[in-house]
Amino acid sequence: MNQQAGRRSSAAWALVITSVAGFMAALDNLVVTTALPSIRKDLGGALEDLEWTVSAYTLTFAVLLMLGAALGDRFGRRRLFIAGLVTFTGASAAAALAPGIDALIAARAVQGVGAAVMMPLTLTLLTAAVPVARRGAALGIFSAVTGLAVASGPLIGGSLTEHISWQWIFWLNVPIGLVLLPLARLRLDESYAPNARLDVPGTLLVSGGLFGIVYALVNGQADGWTSTPILAGLIVGTALVLAFVRHGITSKNPMLPMRLFRDRAFFGINVASLLMFLGMFGSIFLLSQFLQGVAGYSPTEAGLRMLPWTGMPLIVAPIAGYLSDKIGGRPVVATGLALQAVGLGLFAIVLEPGVSYAAQLPGLILSGVGMALYFAPAASVVMSSVRPAEQGIASGANNALREVGGALGIAVLGAVFAAQGGYETPDAFTDGTVPALWIGAGAVALAALVALLIPGRRRTAPAGTGEAAAAADERAPAAV
């Protein structure tokens, strides 16, 4: 009885620690956006410098996620999680104390390094600590918290900037990180991937390839899509990623074995995740600006009016996690993505300079429910589609694809916005936002179709295959 109580306590602590750490890392994706005018007033800098305060974090986060997962598998997941947390917390303090815009950009890049090490290990540590029967609900809560962080970044950043100062969007991380550090050391169990090896060629290929592609995506609008640096980033980055794919097929011990993508669950959830973040990230980026620049709300007021969307995961995701345990992840994920696409489509239909808040509510609510239904079972589908020894790299791959999807969403929807409208007048802003939202809705609708590739619940599966991972997972806690 005492042993069972100890396992429950360990699982509860793991859920709290990993969820809070995941919230911090996910929050910093968009928390800076509503603080940019105040940062420019205090630190100066051109528009391109302000853009880098956002993209420096996204860039290092995306390109180093795979390496962070591999280091955790090799040297210890708890040990590397703590190292990433120390790096992230220290860089947050450096960002708050930055004397100029260049120092702030550098601190944001180091924040991304810490998050890239910390974030993929949260899922593996949590999965190892929670019994398989309750894993769907636990991962649903974790995913709801991190999903809420992504969506509520503009609200939290705007509120802190408006009522205290922009530095507090970074100071907020420091006491939380200092509390988590001893808890992680004392309450998390160490784990390794059996026979884990560092794949140096694969790491260099995927890091260089993602760097080139993400760099081009986040700078294409500012530098021009046909400029030499952007074209070079896209071409060289794509070539390196293709070389990484070939390396994953032919190498004996690659960091991401391409055979994992033969599993329909792994393939379906990862492609759907990329498309989901493409549509959602780009849409939130534009809609938060619409509420401020066109509707005339303050950053805090705009964030509050988005709560039917951003706050919905807290209500729906635990229920969705329970449903995924009962009926499987595929119907929950696909339904959530379909509702998110419908919600974005409703926004595109009603959006105009004088639109009432009541007219926006159906789109807000459907988008919120859809986002929650997706986030809740997505992590569980990823982790159950591979063997326990491969969960770290699977988590890193999924998070990397999400970040790339987010960067792609802001770049693509931003390019559509710039081509069809602009910031000159409310009408021009609306003219650019509406077609961009349709692109976002289409991307999420395509994600819903891809999610149907995920197999339904299996009663039995052959041992030793990726499809048997759910059964193999039952042995994971004992293995660590």
Side-chain angles (χ1 to χ4, degrees):
M1 193 72 176
N2 290 335
Q3 187 177 10
Q4 185 178 11
R7 289 177 180 172
R8 289 179 179 175
S9 175
S10 177
W13 275 112
L15 178 60
V16 171
I17 294 168
T18 58
S19 293
V20 174
F23 183 90
M24 287 198 305
L27 179 68
D28 275 62
N29 274 295
L30 289 177
V31 73
V32 178
T33 53
T34 47
L36 289 178
S38 296
I39 292 174
R40 184 178 185 182
K41 182 179 179 181
D42 285 355
L43 301 183
L47 178 61
E48 291 77 13
D49 296 319
L50 297 179
E51 290 175 348
W52 268 108
T53 64
V54 179
S55 60
Y57 181 84
T58 304
L59 192 61
T60 53
F61 195 2
V63 303
L64 295 177
L65 272 166
M66 300 289 290
L67 177 61
L71 289 172
D73 286 348
R74 174 65 178 83
F75 296 108
R77 291 159 180 163
R78 183 185 65 182
R79 180 181 300 168
L80 265 293
F81 174 81
I82 292 173
L85 184 58
V86 169
T87 303
F88 184 85
T89 303
S92 296
L97 295 170
I101 194 69
D102 291 337
L104 177 60
I105 293 170
R108 287 285 287 165
V110 177
Q111 263 193 314
V113 173
V117 174
M118 178 176 65
M119 191 65 174
L121 300 177
T122 56
L123 280 178
T124 48
L125 289 166
L126 180 58
T127 300
V130 178
V132 68
R134 299 197 301 272
R135 195 166 295 160
L139 291 173
I141 294 171
F142 172 88
S143 298
V145 172
T146 54
L148 178 64
V150 171
S152 64
L155 169 61
I156 294 175
S159 298
L160 290 173
T161 300
E162 185 177 339
H163 300 294
I164 308 178
S165 70
W166 65 264
Q167 285 88 349
W168 274 92
I169 65 179
F170 302 114
W171 281 127
L172 178 66
N173 294 326
V174 176
I176 298 174
L178 292 177
V179 170
L180 286 181
L181 283 170
L183 290 176
R185 178 65 182 84
L186 297 172
R187 298 292 183 177
L188 294 178
D189 295 326
E190 186 60 280
S191 65
Y192 302 83
N195 302 317
R197 299 179 183 179
L198 286 180
D199 177 12
V200 176
T203 298
L204 293 176
L205 287 172
V206 72
S207 297
L210 288 177
F211 178 87
I213 293 172
V214 175
Y215 174 88
L217 292 175
V218 298
N219 289 279
Q221 193 62 31
D223 295 351
W225 291 102
T226 58
S227 65
T228 300
I230 301 306
L231 289 177
L234 290 172
I235 294 170
V236 175
T238 301
L240 289 175
V241 169
L242 291 175
F244 173 73
V245 172
R246 184 176 183 277
H247 175 78
I249 296 172
T250 60
S251 177
K252 184 177 180 181
N253 293 296
M255 64 184 301
L256 179 57
M258 289 299 124
R259 60 178 172 74
L260 295 179
F261 288 94
R262 297 173 186 168
D263 186 282
R264 286 167 50 199
F266 189 84
F267 176 85
I269 193 61
N270 279 288
V271 175
S273 294
L274 185 148
L275 292 168
M276 161 66 175
F277 268 64
L278 189 157
M280 184 194 72
F281 237 74
S283 298
I284 288 178
F285 180 75
L286 289 174
L287 286 171
S288 63
Q289 294 184 74
F290 176 88
L291 291 175
Q292 295 175 58
V294 177
Y297 298 120
S298 71
T300 304
E301 291 170 340
L304 287 172
R305 282 162 175 78
M306 292 187 73
L307 279 179
W309 185 354
T310 60
M312 197 63 69
L314 287 178
I315 301 171
V316 177
I319 301 172
Y322 172 81
L323 288 175
S324 70
D325 284 341
K326 294 297 183 182
I327 65 175
R330 178 178 66 179
V332 183
V333 168
T335 300
L337 292 170
L339 289 176
Q340 175 78 87
V342 172
L344 293 177
L346 288 177
F347 265 119
I349 290 172
V350 304
L351 216 61
E352 60 182 11
V355 63
S356 67
Y357 182 63
Q360 300 174 54
L361 269 177
L364 286 166
I365 293 172
L366 282 179
S367 295
V369 172
M371 184 171 67
L373 289 175
Y374 158 78
F375 273 123
S380 182
V381 173
V382 171
M383 303 304 275
S384 65
S385 66
V386 298
R387 299 184 181 98
E390 296 167 331
Q391 288 175 346
I393 205 62
S395 171
N398 183 255
N399 279 285
L401 287 170
R402 288 184 180 190
E403 291 300 313
V404 171
L408 179 62
I410 292 176
V412 171
L413 271 63
V416 173
F417 169 83
Q420 300 295 322
Y423 288 90
E424 295 80 12
T425 65
D427 285 328
F429 194 97
T430 304
D431 290 342
T433 302
V434 169
L437 288 177
W438 281 119
I439 298 295
V444 181
L446 181 58
L449 294 176
V450 172
L452 295 177
L453 294 175
I454 300 170
R457 266 181 95 83
R458 305 179 180 93
R459 296 184 179 275
T460 60
T465 68
E467 295 182 353
D473 277 350
E474 295 179 5
R475 300 190 296 271
V480 299

